Amino acid sequence: MKSARRKAREFAVQGLYQWQLTQDTPAHIEQHLAETPGFGKADMSLFRTVMYGAIKHGEPLRSALEPYLARGWNEVSPVERGVLLAAAYELVHMPETPYPVIINEAIELSRTFGGNEGHKFINGVLDRFVEQARATEVASTRAQRSRP
């Protein structure tokens, strides 16, 4: 059974995919997604925060992610771009969520919606991105793991 937070992230990625293809407004995309079965069971606050936030901050997030891509942004599938934008938004703007949770959720989303090896690509990009986005948290986590 998927949690309300997982469903929220799934719908946020679907919304980001739609936004990339149509450039429609977030409100219209939300209205369209609301017709999808299961939408009402998603964590609406998280869905709106991630989808609207990733759209609003899309260009700075893209610029921050690009150095970690092995190919150009436009060569990345729209599904993978949506997952990356959603995860990057959470990593940058939602410090209350531990970064391993965000990365694991992104990997699972890419397994659900992306290509066969997309989850490896997402994992690699986000593992490098988080070093910059959450340097202090990453260092603290590593220090805790290395203690006997």
Side-chain angles (χ1 to χ4, degrees):
M1 192 78 177
K2 294 179 184 175
S3 72
R5 292 181 67 79
R6 167 66 61 83
K7 288 179 184 186
R9 289 182 175 102
E10 286 182 353
F11 283 113
V13 167
Q14 290 175 37
L16 290 166
Y17 176 85
Q18 185 176 344
W19 171 71
Q20 291 176 80
L21 296 181
T22 66
Q23 294 298 301
D24 208 346
T25 66
H28 191 259
I29 291 169
E30 180 179 353
Q31 183 180 27
H32 175 74
L33 288 171
E35 298 170 8
T36 306
F39 185 77
K41 294 182 180 181
D43 177 331
M44 285 297 110
S45 177
L46 180 61
F47 161 75
R48 288 185 182 115
T49 299
V50 173
M51 189 187 80
Y52 284 72
I55 290 172
K56 179 179 179 183
H57 299 280
E59 199 52 46
L61 292 172
R62 172 186 168 171
S63 295
L65 287 163
E66 283 184 316
Y68 307 103
L69 302 177
R71 55 189 183 240
W73 182 256
N74 291 331
E75 295 173 38
V76 176
S77 80
V79 170
E80 290 170 341
R81 288 193 312 246
V83 171
L84 287 171
L85 287 170
Y89 178 82
E90 283 195 73
L91 288 167
V92 172
H93 296 281
M94 300 177 71
E96 67 277 9
T97 306
Y99 77 86
V101 170
I102 297 167
I103 293 174
N104 286 337
E105 286 287 301
I107 291 167
E108 290 305 315
L109 289 168
S110 65
R111 283 186 172 138
T112 299
F113 297 116
N116 290 342
E117 300 297 314
H119 66 282
K120 294 177 184 178
F121 171 72
I122 295 293
N123 187 35
V125 172
L126 293 178
D127 276 349
R128 291 188 305 276
F129 176 75
V130 76
E131 297 275 342
Q132 173 267 322
R134 295 216 184 160
T136 304
E137 185 182 353
V138 170
S140 174
T141 300
R142 285 188 181 146
Q144 290 174 0
R145 287 181 187 159
S146 67
R147 290 187 186 144

